[in-house]
Amino acid sequence: MAAAIVIFLAVATVAYGRATNYGRISLADLPRLFDDAALFDEVYDQRSVYPAPEMVPHWPGNDVKVGQVGGIAVDNNKEVVIFHRGSRSWGFNSFDQNNNFVDPERHGPIKENTLIRVDPSTGHRIESFGSGKFYMPHGLTIDKEGNIWVTDVGLHQVMKIPKGSQEPNLTLGVHLTPGSDDTHFCKPTDVAVASDGNFFVSDGYCNGRIMKFSKEGKLLHQWGNMFQGSVHSAGNADFFIPHSLTLIESRDTICVADREHGRIQCFCAGLKNANETGQFVSSINHKEFGKVFAISYDPNLDVIYAVNGQSYLVSEVVGFTLELSGNIVEKWSPDGTGFQMPHDVAVSPDGSSIYVGEIQPDRVTKFRRV
């Protein structure tokens, strides 16, 4: 009997603690609160299904030197590619009020190699390239064919670099020229590529839209707009910086990290029926997010990995493992230090490793499931 009373009080304490985050409670609220506590216990119990990610110490090796890490991705050989800014940083004076990169002739492209391929086991550099090509590296994606896709917010361009090459064979957007029509981007942030070669671009810091292209680079569809108001008054496709994309092909779904609104918005990708492209599917929104900087889908566990950023309401910066229903399964971060400003997250094809790139400090952290 005493044990039952202790359990009852413990559950009541959890329920009350969760309820006080939303305001006062009354006796009439208790049944709902116990249901809420039961749901919390169910989500918590599910954490044991997944082995928690553990940070891999001393990775990468000392021969991998990076600046601000814009993007990170993993290919089918589990090799890790990092897209970073070298000695350049994105500051308050990097762009003018019209979103032009400031004085590109004086600054020129970044002199250092901005793309580094890293051995996943040893952490040592395999190759590096990309010097003299990029102005402000941002997003990085590797498709199933091994092609590298990058976005450069200074160039306002998206590029595809074929497997085995160091030069792009497809470039979209106009060199150093922001815009909002069908042939321009304005600080594009990320790319997601389908198995059939169609791809999506999040565009980005200015236009707040998602654009779908054929494998040849023909614009097929676009939706969304920039909305800098509160998330509470935002529509499903009102983005306040769509910052990262992840494609869930098994569900014909493309998900968007709506960064400043602190949510993940999912839409029909239209891979089965092009007429359904852009139709709203679901939203994942937790107060723990603050801001959502990057997302990556893992088909092995059928979960989304996300990294957040500080806001005036949230100071804890961590990695999240999310079920597609939206439940937070677990949180994870580097041992001892935690994250400061994570910018991108990627998962290996077999789901065994997770990588996070940050822009402060300039680093990449590897996690593994054991």
Side-chain angles (χ1 to χ4, degrees), residues 61-173:
N62 293 330
D63 57 339
V64 178
K65 306 294 184 183
V66 299
Q68 292 183 340
V69 178
I72 188 166
V74 189
D75 67 16
N76 286 333
N77 295 323
K78 300 182 184 180
E79 293 176 350
V80 182
V81 180
I82 303 166
F83 193 33
H84 71 106
R85 298 171 185 164
S87 57
R88 182 163 296 169
S89 297
W90 188 348
F92 70 92
N93 59 349
S94 296
F95 295 85
D96 65 20
Q97 61 183 0
N98 296 317
N99 297 303
N100 295 294
F101 187 77
V102 174
D103 199 359
E105 295 301 325
R106 180 168 64 87
H107 291 291
I110 297 170
K111 296 178 181 179
E112 301 98 328
N113 284 325
T114 52
L115 287 156
I116 306 175
R117 187 179 297 273
V118 182
D119 184 287
S121 299
T122 67
H124 290 304
R125 184 181 65 219
I126 298 173
E127 66 171 344
S128 60
F129 59 98
S131 64
K133 291 183 174 64
F134 301 104
Y135 282 75
M136 194 64 75
H138 198 277
L140 171 66
T141 300
I142 301 178
D143 65 26
K144 293 183 179 179
E145 303 299 323
N147 305 303
I148 295 174
W149 298 75
V150 296
T151 66
D152 188 312
V153 294
L155 288 172
H156 305 286
Q157 289 182 314
V158 175
M159 300 180 189
K160 173 188 176 184
I161 303 173
K163 180 180 180 180
S165 176
Q166 297 183 1
E167 299 293 334
N169 68 345
L170 176 66
T171 300
L172 298 180

Side-chain angles (χ1 to χ4, degrees), residues 314-366:
V314 172
S315 59
E316 184 183 34
V317 183
V318 296
F320 295 88
T321 306
L322 303 162
E323 294 178 324
L324 299 189
S325 63
N327 289 335
I328 298 175
V329 177
E330 60 195 3
K331 300 178 184 180
W332 39 274
S333 62
D335 298 340
T337 61
F339 291 122
Q340 292 187 40
M341 292 186 69
H343 196 261
D344 201 10
V345 60
V347 59
S348 61
D350 63 357
S352 64
S353 301
I354 307 164
Y355 301 88
V356 175
E358 294 185 76
I359 56 175
Q360 182 182 328
D362 304 337
R363 66 177 177 180
V364 174
T365 306
K366 177 180 180 179

